[in-house]
Amino acid sequence: MSSSRGTYHHGQLAAALEDAAMQLLERLPATEISLREVARAANVSHNAPYHHFTDRLGLLRVLAERSMRELTEAVESAIASAAGPAQRLRAGGAAYISFAVAHPHAFNVVYDPLVCIPSQPSAAMAPLIERLERALGETAHAAGLGDAAEVRALWGMVHGLGTLCAAGHFTEPEALAASDAALARLRSD
């Protein structure tokens, strides 16, 4: 039994496990994170995670939800800090790409179809997806992009650029420049 067992009695075990798992996710892909590894990182018994996560997939869902919250907050914050509609659109796209580059494993777990089943998000994930879609959609509409297809194209573009950049296919400045060029083209057509 670890010396942190007292943490459980203070009601902090779930938070300690989540924090330990998020720290692991910063350096390891989700596929390499086990409940036992999370317990070791949180300095609790190897059975402790089962008090809060039914299984490894339950842990990964919590990591995806927390990562989606962080991604959404980064995009919303960037949008809110920019001056005009075109700048807000660029800032939101740049924040999305930058999150993918800075937190590639967190980004990947958000979009892992085994963790967050498309069209069947968890009760906690669904409102986060809606928030992100709303932030991108409202910003795109304000910048002159009209229909849902254009908004999906925008999301697909920044998602693809973020994914490719995080995988090392080009640098972050190159990805951001490509995003800016594509957005300028979309808005001028």
Side-chain angles (χ1 to χ4, degrees), residues 45-123:
S45 77
H46 69 274
N47 286 324
Y50 293 97
H51 293 285
H52 296 281
F53 308 109
T54 55
D55 56 17
R56 186 174 167 280
L57 184 58
L59 168 68
L60 296 181
R61 284 190 178 125
V62 168
L63 293 179
E65 291 159 0
R66 190 161 160 178
S67 297
M68 178 60 118
R69 185 175 305 105
E70 291 174 5
L71 169 61
T72 300
E73 288 170 356
V75 169
E76 289 171 337
S77 176
I79 290 169
S81 68
Q87 293 83 4
R88 285 192 287 276
L89 185 60
R90 289 177 63 213
Y96 192 100
I97 292 167
S98 294
F99 184 91
V101 172
H103 310 284
H105 304 308
F107 187 76
N108 288 338
V109 77
V110 166
Y111 293 102
D112 183 333
L114 300 175
V115 176
C116 182
I117 301 168
S119 302
Q120 297 176 14
S122 70

Side-chain angles (χ1 to χ4, degrees), residues 2 4 43 71 91 122 153 174:
S2 78
S4 345
N43 197 27
L71 169 61
S122 70
E174 289 171 329

Side-chain angles (χ1 to χ4, degrees), residues 7 10 16 34 42 46 49 54 70 73 81 99 108 117 119 128 131 135 138 147-148 159 161 169 173 180:
T7 304
H10 296 292
S34 67
H46 69 274
T54 55
E70 291 174 5
E73 288 170 356
S81 68
F99 184 91
N108 288 338
I117 301 168
S119 302
L128 296 170
R131 262 179 66 191
E138 289 173 358
D147 61 20
H159 183 87
L161 287 169
H169 293 283
D180 287 348

